[in-house]
Amino acid sequence: EMAAPVEFVRHIDDLTRLELECDRKINELADTADIELQRVLREEIKQAVACTQTILDKAQLLAEEQDAESAKASMLTRVARHTAESKRLAGALRTATLQARQATDKAAAQKREALLAGSSVLAARDVRQRGGADGAAKAKQASGDISDSLQRMRQSMAAELSRTAQTSQVLAASSQTLKQTSEDTSSLDTRTAQ
């Protein structure tokens, strides 16, 4: 069996290096909830995948140019293995992107929960620390007071939104009336001028 050309071997080494780099970055992408880092990693992975495809095409061409059938078959087998790895990496990238999005969504939900629960937890902790034996009852009362306050605020916002919608409707109707009056006045002015 003939040895593969040096250029082909270099292409295979480059493919192996890029595949390992992509694999590492894909794993890093799957493990991060940082949106900016996700964007950077996806861009780097896409560039590496594009480079991998270019090298695969060159290696395929070199293999097909071989005169010796055994060398050609051996080289094409190696190209096929790297093509399969490239497809596996593409699937892994899709999976990692989904995992990263889920991690981001989970982190955002946890932050929201912490913000919403933070004030009541802090108030409850303060009451418990100051309250002694009946601290739990006071904490429960404080939590209830906060919930009631939030409910009143929500109702107030809903009422304000309703008033704003009604005002918009009245304003639209008034604008239509003014427009109609203006048109009628113009029509009368035109008739009296004749």
Side-chain angles (χ1 to χ4, degrees), residues 1-54:
E1 181 177 313
M2 240 177 116
V6 173
E7 187 178 1
F8 180 83
V9 172
R10 190 173 61 245
H11 287 322
I12 295 299
D13 289 346
D14 289 344
L15 283 170
T16 302
R17 180 185 51 76
L18 281 169
E19 289 163 355
L20 290 172
E21 182 182 331
C22 280
D23 215 16
R24 181 186 58 76
K25 288 182 179 182
I26 287 170
N27 288 331
E28 188 178 347
L29 174 63
D31 293 338
T32 187
D34 181 343
I35 293 173
E36 182 59 26
L37 181 58
Q38 288 175 11
R39 187 190 62 72
V40 169
L41 286 170
R42 275 194 309 269
E43 189 58 38
E44 289 175 356
I45 293 166
K46 285 178 184 177
Q47 288 175 357
V49 166
C51 189
T52 299
Q53 188 57 51
T54 301

Side-chain angles (χ1 to χ4, degrees), residues 124-125 127-144:
R125 189 179 323 133
V127 170
R128 250 186 269 126
Q129 287 173 349
R130 284 184 270 133
D134 61 345
K138 288 181 180 178
K140 185 176 179 183
Q141 178 63 40
S143 180

Side-chain angles (χ1 to χ4, degrees), residues 65-175:
E65 290 175 348
Q66 295 302 304
D67 292 331
E69 286 301 317
S70 62
K72 183 178 186 176
S74 173
M75 291 167 68
L76 287 173
T77 299
R78 292 173 81 180
V79 168
R81 277 197 301 260
H82 285 281
T83 300
E85 179 63 9
S86 180
K87 288 178 182 175
R88 185 197 68 80
L89 288 172
L93 175 59
R94 285 189 294 277
T95 301
T97 300
L98 177 63
Q99 289 173 336
R101 282 190 185 133
Q102 289 170 342
T104 300
D105 292 346
K106 184 177 179 181
Q110 288 172 341
K111 283 182 182 179
R112 259 191 319 277
E113 288 298 319
L115 287 173
L116 291 174
S119 60
S120 63
V121 168
L122 292 175
R125 189 179 323 133
D126 277 354
V127 170
R128 250 186 269 126
Q129 287 173 349
R130 284 184 270 133
D134 61 345
K138 288 181 180 178
K140 185 176 179 183
Q141 178 63 40
S143 180
D145 291 347
I146 291 169
S147 294
D148 291 344
S149 174
L150 289 172
Q151 184 65 27
R152 283 190 303 275
M153 195 176 352
R154 182 177 178 269
Q155 289 170 345
S156 173
M157 290 171 67
E160 188 61 34
L161 186 61
S162 176
R163 279 193 295 275
T164 301
Q166 289 172 351
T167 302
S168 295
Q169 288 174 348
V170 169
L171 185 60
S174 296
S175 295

Side-chain angles (χ1 to χ4, degrees), residues 180-194:
Q180 185 62 43
T181 303
S182 176
E183 289 172 0
D184 291 346
T185 305
S186 293
S187 172
L188 282 174
D189 288 345
T190 306
R191 282 190 227 148
T192 55
Q194 293 175 354

